[in-house]
Amino acid sequence: MRILYLLLSVLFVVLQGVAGQPFIPRLIDTCRLRNGICFPGICRRPYYWIGTCNNGIGSCCARGWRS
């Protein structure tokens, strides 16, 4: 039974490779989706904080409103 599960998982990986789909999906850069820029540390003027970057270290910052 254990061999059957192993063969099914190998078949799944092969089918995804044939279909052109990655087995492990890439991380979506959420900061880029929000039109932000990743900075190490905190955001400085004229940028404001809108979240964290994918690496967990940087801050996702966006430009402030222009007066």
Side-chain angles (χ1 to χ4, degrees):
M1 199 63 165
R2 199 179 291 174
I3 292 175
L4 180 63
Y5 288 129
L6 181 64
L7 288 175
L8 283 174
S9 62
V10 169
L11 179 67
F12 178 71
V13 171
V14 168
L15 286 177
Q16 280 203 342
V18 169
Q21 299 292 327
F23 179 65
I24 301 172
R26 292 183 298 155
L27 289 175
I28 299 172
D29 192 2
T30 55
C31 190
R32 291 272 172 141
L33 290 176
R34 291 182 272 183
N35 294 327
I37 303 171
C38 285
F39 285 114
I42 61 172
C43 303
R44 307 259 184 229
R45 283 187 158 204
Y47 296 95
Y48 63 95
W49 186 84
I50 58 172
T52 55
C53 295
N54 286 341
N55 60 9
I57 297 171
S59 297
C60 184
C61 307
R63 264 188 102 75
W65 296 99
R66 293 186 182 195
S67 300

